[in-house]
Amino acid sequence: MKLLLTGAGGLLGSAVMAVAAERGDQCDALSRPALGGGQPAVTAAQLANSLAGYDVLVHAAANTNVEACETAPDDCYRDNFLLTELLAQAAALAGVHMVFVSSTGLYGTAGDTPYREYEAAVPTTHHHRSKLLGEQSVLAANASNLVLRTGWLFGGSAANPKNFVARRVDEARAALAAGRHIESNAEQRGVPCWNRDVATRLLDLADAGVAGVVNCVNSGNASRCEYVAAVVQLAGIAVEVKPSTAASFARKARVSNNEMADNWKMAMLGWPDMPDWRASLAAYLHGDLAAY
C-alpha cells in the first residue's frame, strides 16, 4: 500500500510509520493544514491534490487535550471535526480510501460493560463529541471509509512527555526515593492499548478494505489503578499503588468512568483476537523501555 498519514509524530502515527516500513508499505507524512487564525481558507479540492497517487489516507492527527477542549471548544471542533471533514471530502475527490482514528471514550456513560459497535455513542465531553462529528463526516463522504475507535494508548519514546507508562515509572521511582506510595483512579476503566498492536491491526484492516466503525483495542480491560499497578510491578519498583476515587482528580471534562470496548465487529468478521494488554505492556517495558 501507499499511505499518506497525518499525525506522523504522534503516539499512534509514529507507530503506523514504523510498522508500515517493516511491512514494506510506503507511508508518507502529511503536514496538518492550518485552519483559522487568519490563515487563508483551505478547500477540499486543494487538499485532494496532495492525495493524488495514494491508496489510503490515515488521519491520526487530533486535538487530544480533553481538558483544554472544554475551555476552548472552537479549537477542539476546528481540529477534530472541521479538518476531518475537509480531509474526508478531499479523499473522496481523489478516490482515496480513508482511515480515521477515533476514540472509545465517545460511547459515554450508558453502560458499565465493554461497549460494542452497535451501541449508541453518547459523548459527554467536547473532545468526544468532536470525534463523533468527525466520524460522521468521514462515513458521509464515503461509506467504504474506516473509522477506528481506540483508546488508552501507550508506547513510543520515553522522552515524550505524554508517555503514560514512562511517566508512571518516573512517579513510582520518585515515590520510592521519598518512602511514600502513589495513588490512582480505581473507578475509571478502559483498555490499555499498545500503539504497535493498534497500528498493525489498522494497516491490516485498511489493506483488507474493511469499512465502517470498528473498535480496535487490546484484549482485556483494567481500572486506571490496576493499569498503574501493572506498570509499577512490571518495572520492578517496590512501591504500593493505592486506589483513589475519580473525584480525587480535579477535571473540567466530564469523562466517562467506562471507556472499555470490545472488538465485537472484528470477531464477527473472523479477525483474530488482539493481544492481551498485560502481555503487550510487558513486551513494551522489557523491550522499548528496557534501558529507561
Side-chain angles (χ1 to χ4, degrees), residues 205-216:
L205 293 169
D207 198 24
V210 175
V213 174
V214 176
N215 289 342
C216 186

Side-chain angles (χ1 to χ4, degrees), residues 1-5 12-27 56-58 97 99 146 148 195-210 216 271:
M1 288 187 295
K2 187 176 180 182
L3 304 111
L4 193 60
L5 170 70
L12 183 56
S14 59
V16 170
M17 290 286 284
V19 173
E22 292 168 6
R23 294 161 55 109
D25 292 328
Q26 179 181 338
C27 187
V56 180
L57 167 65
V58 179
H97 183 60
V99 178
L146 172 63
L148 203 74
N195 63 348
R196 286 190 60 86
D197 289 336
V198 176
T200 299
R201 185 57 59 91
L202 181 157
L203 292 173
D204 287 342
L205 293 169
D207 198 24
V210 175
C216 186
W271 288 83

Side-chain angles (χ1 to χ4, degrees), residues 97-183:
H97 183 60
M98 182 172 178
V99 178
F100 175 54
V101 179
S102 190
S103 170
T104 57
L106 54 71
Y107 283 107
T109 60
D112 56 9
T113 57
Y115 291 106
R116 294 178 170 182
E117 292 89 340
Y118 55 74
E119 296 183 85
V122 188
T124 59
T125 70
H126 284 304
H127 169 75
H128 292 119
R129 184 167 184 270
S130 71
K131 297 298 283 187
L132 179 59
L133 289 170
E135 288 187 2
Q136 293 168 347
S137 67
V138 167
L139 296 177
N142 187 339
S144 69
N145 284 338
L146 172 63
V147 169
L148 203 74
R149 290 178 178 168
T150 192
W152 287 29
L153 287 167
F154 68 85
S157 168
N160 184 341
K162 294 183 179 180
N163 186 318
F164 182 86
V165 173
R167 299 295 76 78
R168 300 294 76 72
V169 170
D170 293 342
E171 182 183 11
R173 286 173 176 166
L176 180 65
R180 55 180 174 79
H181 68 274
I182 61 176
E183 295 184 358

Side-chain angles (χ1 to χ4, degrees), residues 246-260:
S248 302
F249 301 89
R251 301 199 66 172
K252 297 182 179 70
R254 193 165 60 90
V255 177
S256 173
N257 274 341
N258 178 20
E259 294 190 338
M260 297 182 290

Side-chain angles (χ1 to χ4, degrees), residues 151-154 190-194 217-223 227 276-277:
W152 287 29
L153 287 167
F154 68 85
V191 183
C193 297
W194 194 11
V217 295
N218 280 82
S219 296
N221 58 75
S223 68
Y227 181 16
D276 180 81
W277 72 267

Side-chain angles (χ1 to χ4, degrees), residues 232-245:
V232 172
Q233 186 269 323
L234 288 167
I237 305 171
V239 165
E240 183 181 8
V241 180
K242 290 186 176 182
S244 62
T245 65

